[in-house]
Amino acid sequence: VAVISLGICNLELITEPCGSQAADTVILETAKRLKTTAGRASHISRAESGEFFLVTKLMDMDSLRMLCEVLLGSTTQVLEVNEYSIEIETCAGIAFGQAENFKALCDQAHIAKNRAHIGTYGFFDEGMNGVSKERLLLSYSLKKAINDSQLKLFYQPQVCPKTMRVMGVEALARWNSPEHGNVSPEKFIQLAEKIGEIDKLTLWAIKTACEQMSHWRSIGVYVPKVSVNLSQLNLNLDGLPLYVERILNAFHLPASCLVLEITETATSELTDDKLNMLRALRDIGVGLSMDDFGTGYASLTYLKRFPIDVLKIDRSFVQDIGIDSDDEAIIESTLTLAHSLGKECVAELSLIHI
């Protein structure tokens, strides 16, 4: 048999501004369209909020490709829900094998679906697995942690060395898994990118950080800004600026109190569409920061093109201040550059206003 996993890619972005009732309507309408399109030759079940599994006896590649294209065409459409015009975005993954390995086929189709882009499909191959059972188990645990809010944000202060005033905080995601213990951020963030969960993780971080900022202000604790890390993959989310704007409005926060960070290495790989996404975020008043500055391959051309407000010096240059004169020269040059461009400069644990 063959198993097709079809997922609604933008369900999270639908739920936040339009409400859970609208999201439920989208799920029901998607199920109806799948049932109508697939016909009686296939069996359909819903796995979780925005994912469906379709089982078919079609086994040749061309027939499966054609079926996936029809399924995606029928589900990737605009739906009118109350006063909202919602564009449903779907993607799919395909796996095939022996029926007695049905659970494994579902797992494989799910992995292939998470590797596919919006409006496309992909076939599972063994190279997608990371190929270890441990990694697959970690993937399931991470999905559950994101959906059940098991991750926590910790806030690292950014302090002006001249006044010792807190100028902002950086939100850092941490995961203490009941099954796997403390999982390093590098490991679970890279995993989230590979299994298609990075959008959920980032949207959760933005919402949680804004909620915390609102709480601090309600009890008289004033923190000027909170920084949240963006993955380059997040810039494929067409509704990201609208989501951020709605979250800020929901917690009665000015856009200037949120800074979104993207690494220097990622900026050198930005397409025009992704640069336009960053400009759209900046247009609503959100700050943008280039993280790990000095470790990637960004040139002065990228500094000119990339609409940033903050240069964040990588910690590798800061840790040897007073020991390595080369590092000190690099930091001094970066401060001069930031000053000339009218930008702030942040180093590990320090925000320097110049």
Side-chain angles (χ1 to χ4, degrees):
V1 298
V3 176
I4 298 174
S5 167
L6 185 139
I8 303 172
C9 305
N10 59 334
L11 189 63
E12 189 83 13
L13 289 174
I14 293 169
T15 304
E16 194 60 44
C18 305
S20 58
Q21 187 175 359
D24 290 341
T25 301
V26 167
I27 292 170
L28 289 172
E29 182 61 27
T30 302
K32 289 178 184 178
R33 292 178 181 181
L34 283 174
K35 187 175 181 180
T36 301
T37 305
R40 296 182 178 180
S42 303
H43 300 281
I44 301 171
S45 63
R46 178 182 163 198
E48 53 182 38
S49 58
E51 183 176 20
F52 299 87
F53 285 110
L54 183 145
V55 184
T56 176
K57 291 184 178 180
L58 295 174
M59 290 295 287
D60 66 283
M61 303 284 273
D62 289 340
S63 296
L64 286 170
R65 285 192 180 99
M66 187 177 297
L67 176 58
C68 263
E69 287 170 2
V70 172
L71 292 174
L72 291 171
S74 69
T75 54
T76 305
Q77 297 182 15
V78 175
L79 177 65
E80 302 295 331
V81 181
N82 299 326
E83 73 273 25
Y84 298 104
S85 181
I86 299 172
E87 183 175 357
I88 304 173
E89 298 174 341
T90 58
C91 61
I94 311 163
F96 46 88
Q98 299 300 314
E100 55 266 27
N101 296 324
F102 180 70
K103 177 65 168 60
L105 289 177
C106 289
D107 293 342
Q108 293 169 359
H110 172 81
I111 291 170
K113 183 261 297 180
N114 285 341
R115 289 293 187 89
H117 298 294
I118 293 171
T120 67
Y121 61 89
F123 286 87
F124 175 83
D125 65 67
E126 289 299 329
M128 288 182 173
N129 238 341
V131 296
S132 78
K133 184 177 180 181
E134 178 185 359
R135 181 171 186 153
L136 191 59
L137 291 173
L138 189 64
S139 299
Y140 282 129
S141 297
L142 179 58
K143 284 194 65 176
K144 187 175 187 301
I146 294 171
N147 292 330
D148 296 348
S149 299
Q150 291 180 9
L151 284 83
K152 304 294 182 185
L153 284 185
F154 290 83
Y155 298 92
Q156 184 178 48
Q158 297 171 338
V159 180
C160 174
K162 293 180 180 179
T163 65
M164 296 309 294
R165 289 175 56 199
V166 173
M167 307 304 296
V169 294
E170 180 181 0
L172 303 171
R174 296 292 183 262
W175 180 28
N176 186 3
S177 166
E179 298 87 8
H180 308 281
N182 284 312
V183 183
S184 72
E186 292 79 8
K187 187 173 184 177
F188 72 75
I189 290 172
Q190 288 180 10
L191 181 60
E193 291 179 332
K194 290 180 179 178
I195 66 174
E197 294 294 316
I198 191 62
D199 288 339
K200 282 186 180 179
L201 176 57
T202 300
L203 295 178
W204 164 81
I206 291 172
K207 181 179 180 181
T208 303
C210 288
E211 185 177 14
Q212 183 63 58
M213 287 285 283
S214 178
H215 172 68
W216 279 332
R217 294 186 179 207
S218 71
I219 61 174
V221 177
Y222 181 73
V223 177
K225 298 177 184 179
V226 61
S227 300
V228 179
N229 290 287
L230 275 187
S231 164
Q232 186 187 169
L233 297 178
N234 297 141
L235 300 179
N236 294 317
L237 271 172
D238 289 337
L240 182 60
L242 178 60
Y243 177 89
V244 170
E245 191 170 26
R246 290 183 182 275
I247 287 295
L248 290 166
N249 290 338
F251 292 110
H252 308 290
L253 294 171
S256 59
C257 78
L258 177 64
V259 177
L260 298 176
E261 297 187 358
I262 187 165
T263 64
E264 179 189 4
T265 302
T267 62
S268 64
E269 301 170 0
L270 292 179
T271 62
D272 288 341
D273 287 342
K274 291 180 179 179
L275 277 170
N276 289 334
M277 173 70 74
L278 291 170
R279 293 186 183 108
L281 287 165
R282 197 163 185 236
D283 285 345
I284 65 176
V286 170
L288 296 176
S289 173
M290 182 184 286
D291 198 7
D292 300 337
F293 184 73
T295 61
Y297 302 96
S299 66
L300 295 179
T301 302
Y302 285 107
L303 287 181
K304 181 179 178 180
R305 292 181 66 208
F306 185 47
I308 61 169
D309 306 285
V310 181
L311 289 179
K312 191 173 180 185
I313 303 173
D314 185 71
R315 65 188 306 174
S316 62
F317 297 108
V318 180
Q319 61 190 10
D320 289 333
I321 288 179
I323 300 173
D324 191 323
S325 59
D326 289 341
D327 282 348
E328 292 177 6
I330 290 172
I331 292 172
E332 185 176 352
S333 299
T334 303
L335 291 173
T336 301
L337 177 64
H339 176 77
S340 300
L341 296 174
K343 304 181 188 307
E344 291 182 347
C345 194
V346 176
E348 192 72 20
L349 291 178
S350 298
L351 174 61
I352 306 173
H353 275 282
I354 54 177

